[in-house]
């Protein structure tokens, strides 16, 4: 049975939302291993968001954050193994990981910090003036020229 379905009905009354098709495909794809480490995505107001990643055992130099083409990538891995320690039991997972988050338009990363084993990334939606809603006057005596 195929899990693909047509997105055409969603796009009948929209213009310029081609990226939504990619978002749906990504959401429907079952990617094993994408749940480590656990994380939260929080909303703190109309335009403020925070991603909190449980990064127990990692230090700042073990973590890397990058934004490229609207995708935030968080990766982590232990760089130096401690040769002086022999683990009798190791229950704290410190394996390498990579998390990716597709950011909506006009989302900027404002800050990132590591405290008490939690990596917090603060995001803010900053809508430029040219993207804000504008009232369009209707002039009944002229026909608008199409160009």
């Amino acid at each position: 049975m195929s899990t693909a379905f047509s997105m055409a009905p969603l796009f009948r009354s929209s213009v310029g939302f081609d990226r939504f098709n990619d978002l749906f495909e990504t959401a429907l794809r079952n990617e094993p291993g994408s749940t480590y480490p656990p994380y939260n995505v929080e909303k703190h107001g109309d335009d403020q968001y925070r991603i909190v990643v449980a990064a127990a055992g990692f230090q700042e130099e073990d973590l890397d954050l990058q934004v490229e083409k609207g995708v935030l990538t968080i990766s982590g891995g232990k760089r130096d193994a401690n040769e002086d320690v022999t683990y009798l039991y190791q229950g704290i997972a410190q394996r390498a990981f990579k998390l990716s988050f597709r950011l909506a338009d006009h989302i900027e990363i404002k800050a990132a910090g590591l405290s008490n084993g939690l990596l917090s990334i603060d995001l803010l939606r900053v809508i430029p003036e040219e993207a804000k809603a504008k009232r369009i006057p209707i002039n009944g005596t002229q026909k608008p020229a199409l160009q």
Side-chain angles (χ1 to χ4, degrees):
M1 183 166 124
S2 175
T3 59
F5 55 91
S6 174
M7 295 290 169
L10 295 174
F11 299 119
R12 285 187 188 138
S13 61
S14 62
V15 177
F17 289 93
D18 302 333
R19 285 182 46 195
F20 279 128
N21 190 24
D22 295 337
L23 291 174
F24 283 119
E25 287 177 7
T26 302
L28 293 174
R29 196 177 317 134
N30 185 10
E31 296 180 9
S34 63
T35 59
Y36 175 80
Y39 62 88
N40 293 338
V41 179
E42 305 168 354
K43 186 172 182 179
H44 292 266
D46 289 339
D47 295 324
Q48 297 175 351
Y49 303 89
R50 177 177 289 153
I51 298 171
V52 181
V53 179
F58 290 95
Q59 297 177 357
E60 288 181 25
E61 57 268 10
D62 300 330
L63 301 169
D64 185 46
L65 279 74
Q66 293 184 357
V67 176
E68 184 177 356
K69 295 181 182 175
V71 177
L72 168 64
T73 303
I74 306 164
S75 55
K78 296 304 274 182
R79 288 178 171 64
D80 295 325
N82 191 345
E83 300 290 331
D84 299 336
V85 176
T86 301
Y87 291 99
L88 301 177
Y89 173 77
Q90 187 174 7
I92 299 174
Q94 293 180 347
R95 62 183 185 261
F97 69 89
K98 186 174 185 178
L99 296 172
S100 294
F101 299 91
R102 186 177 301 265
L103 302 177
D105 293 336
H106 312 298
I107 296 287
E108 297 178 4
I109 297 179
K110 288 299 175 188
L114 181 65
S115 177
N116 298 325
L118 296 175
L119 172 65
S120 297
I121 304 159
D122 293 328
L123 305 123
L124 181 65
R125 181 190 330 243
V126 180
I127 301 174
E129 275 305 312
E130 61 270 7
K132 291 183 179 176
K134 299 177 246 186
R135 181 168 289 291
I136 308 298
I138 299 174
N139 186 348
T141 60
Q142 291 181 326
K143 286 188 177 181
L146 293 178
Q147 296 177 357

